[in-house]
Amino acid sequence: MSYVELNDIRVSYDNKTDILKDLNLSIEKGELVSLLGPSGCGKTTTLRVIAGLIEPNDGEFIVDGKNLTKVPVYKREFGMVFQSYALFPHLTIKENIAFGLKLRKEKKSSIDKKVKDILAITGLGELGDRYPKQLSGGQRQRVALARALVIEPKLLLLDEPLSNLDAKLRVAMRIEIKRIQSQLGITSVFVTHDQEECFSISDKVAVMNKGIIEQFDTPEEIYKNPKSEFVARFIGFENFFDLTPIEKGKYKTVDGTTFLSTRQWEPGKHIGTIRPDDIDIVSNTESTATNTVSGTIKVRTFLGKSYQYEIETSIGALLVNEVDDVIYQVGDTVTLMIPAHKLIIV
Amino acid sequence: MRKNAGLQIFAWIVFAFLIVPLIIIVVTSFGTNSTIQFPIKGFTFDWYGKVFNNESFMNSFYLSLEIAFIATVLALVVGIPAAYSLARHKVFGRNWIKSFFLSPTIVPGLVVGYAVYQFIVIQFQFPIFQGLLLGHFLICIPYVIRVVGSTIEQLDFSIEEVSWTLGCTKLQTFIKVVLPNITSGIFASFMLAFINSFNNIPVSQFLSGPGVTMLPTNLMNYIEYNYDPSVSALSVVLMLGTIVLMFIIEKTLGLTSIS
Amino acid sequence: MTQQRRLPYIILAPGMILLIVFLVLPLVSIIFPTFFDGGFTLTHYISFFMDEYNMSIFWRTIRISLIATLFCVFLGVPTAYYISQSPKKWRGLLMSITLFPLLTNSVVRSFAWITILGQSGIINTTLKNIGLISKPLTLLYTEFSITVGSVYLFLPLMVITLVGILENIDSEIMEAAETLGANRFIAFMKVILPLSVPGIIVGSILVFTGSLTAYTTPQLLGGNRNIMLATFLYQNATALGNWKGASVIALIMIAATVIVMKLFDWVAKRMDKRGEASA
């Protein structure tokens, strides 16, 4: 049995449409698991069920062998970092952090020490006597984290904690969160819609869509082997085309060309997908060889390190990123190579 | 999903406290007895007939409408330009002037009425009607300055600058660009000023004379000597007026805009 | 000055002039004589405050205003919080229930309490019918009835002021307190209540100064024995023909209003230590 278990969790506000549909998720001790998905996919709802802010209609929630489904939020002893940080504006940074400890009726000396330690760990050192309004976004973020960590939570919950920061700070803070999380070994659940952020920080990722988990794997596995069209689209596979299976690893396109794929395949799946980076422009003539398709360049965009071409082909429009020195012109006819080891069937 | 039973019970007791007394008035207005009773015996609309046939009530009702309307319009005519000036220009002593325009709210209504009565009516021999009008103008002006002022402050100043670059004079810009964009503020302040003027008692208390008595004052004087259901009936009529106004406000601005 | 620079003042002028001529001058004209009896004097004010009867009215006014304010805070804060937390579709209805009395004429609102508290009012009739009392209780024309009337008059103002403040409190703050181990009640006392202090102060200013200067409620619910400052002013000016006395009370009412406002503002500034300044 895993440290944290969500078993057949169902949430519905009106009992007609389900926000979460019989969701299952297992998290091991010390892991940082991300819930990734577009807005409305149910990731925040899942986190709020874990926190105890929403009571699920069905299902059970277990931590460390104890069923917490009906335990109210304030008795769960989880630390939560909110998207808005939710710092108490009427309290100083120290008072904000000590809030949870005071409720636990700890001794003043013990509280002082813990607050001091966590201020040091989160790099807030001298800011303890300021008020939230006097801090920058990044500093507030650290306070929110410190306040959640200081109660030594069984579980750390982070609800899109980086979405209110600018791009540079976001990268710095996610490294910081990862550092503190692994230093303290706290089991964590992180909600985000940003796949780069998610991949860089997580031990495991649950990609969510419409109230279900589409894929739960390590970041590498999800990046390389998306299991569904939704997951593929969400993590940057931009080319999709229909294929007809002939035998294992062999397909035909709509115009009859043979495509081979060395990647794993499950029965019933028949959509080929590949990242723009993985397609090569092999010649400027037409060809019908295996794993190739020809087309006309419609749009050329300069991306910096490469050019992106939008190419109209017989299997549909394809996006191709090319770093080659050869620069093609709009209107050119080209042949594209879709490598068998990069072609994924979803 | 997350409810708190204790809080809910508390709140609904407070809502009952707010609304039940008014419901009682509605019920008592239908009683047949010549003094107010609750629960009532019998059922009649007679008291409503008495109210509408009472010449004194009807006259003071028309007077109240007239005074409230003219005072509000006057407050808008002088208040909108003033609010615009305070919001847009670096006027010397801006905050002081703004406080000055809001000062009628600091002076107790009865004192306003008393001062206007002493100075305007007694000393300068103005007719009571004019005194009433001025007193009620003083009730109205702070609402205009505050509500219209905050609407103008929220209006993007660059749309005026665009209008100037397109060749509109300042006056044309004010009429063609500013006014159409602050209609909601003007309407809200009109409603607030009108309701408060119509309902006001303290300011009118001194300013009444033969044939010139505002409806609330008239009703108050009536209550001191009478305790019959016609008071309830008139109250119900006034409440219906409130409901109509609330409905208009809700449909046009939303009730939150005046709170 | 150029036309451009003069314009702002020109469009301010009509309003300023009307206010000066019809508010400032009248006020000066009634207040000024109270300081002169041949020469400058404070006699009228000193004798007002030395007089036991006058002072009993003064303190009654303060007392009733204070109690009414406390009750409005006590009843208003939870109610406003309840409104601010209810779903959008309900909030409109709850706000209407609160606004309706506020927009209803105050004579009507006081009259409602006459029918409830009077000798043959609802409370006395009910108590008599169930045999708890034989003689009607004296509820009307007491300080009690004025206080109830004042609370009834001003509670909506308090609630509406607070709803505005409470709606702006991030709902995640309450949840954050709960995840840290506070149950609803403690989270309310430790987070929501301190955060609503600015609203409580604004609301209290409205209720306190409102009750302090109210005329309708003490007139209708107070009777002859429970006079407050406003009714005392009216009595002096009309029944007693003591114009100067009325003017003295007028200035005391203005001064009391201003002092109360400044006092509350001062408290608000002292308590608002959320450090906007030294960022």
Side-chain angles (χ1 to χ4, degrees), chain C residues 166-204:
Chain C
L166 289 171
E167 269 181 341
N168 289 329
I169 295 179
D170 182 359
S171 64
E172 288 192 339
I173 283 193
M174 185 74 173
E175 294 176 353
E178 289 185 62
T179 63
L180 293 168
N183 64 33
R184 294 275 179 79
F185 184 71
I186 293 178
F188 181 83
M189 297 304 281
K190 291 205 153 198
V191 178
I192 302 298
L193 198 61
L195 286 176
S196 50
V197 164
I200 293 176
I201 288 178
V202 172
S204 298

Side-chain angles (χ1 to χ4, degrees), chain C residues 27-84:
Chain C
L27 281 176
V28 170
S29 85
I30 61 159
I31 302 296
F32 198 68
T34 63
F35 289 104
F36 286 90
D37 241 354
F40 178 79
T41 174
L42 288 173
T43 342
H44 295 294
Y45 292 90
I46 294 169
S47 58
F48 179 90
F49 285 107
M50 296 299 282
D51 186 289
E52 213 171 298
Y53 177 69
N54 292 349
M55 285 315 281
S56 74
I57 292 170
F58 180 80
W59 287 120
R60 177 183 299 124
T61 308
I62 300 280
R63 186 167 57 239
I64 289 173
S65 306
L66 200 62
I67 296 172
T69 308
L70 290 177
F71 266 96
C72 283
V73 171
F74 172 72
L75 297 174
V77 175
T79 308
Y81 180 65
Y82 179 76
I83 295 178
S84 76

Side-chain angles (χ1 to χ4, degrees), chain B residues 2 18 85 92 114 118 199 201, chain C residues 8-9 103 107 152 178 243:
Chain B
R2 282 161 41 87
L18 288 175
S85 181
F92 181 75
Y114 174 55
Q118 281 286 330
N199 280 339
I201 294 154
Chain C
Y9 299 95
L103 298 179
V107 173
Y152 187 66
E178 289 185 62
W243 294 105

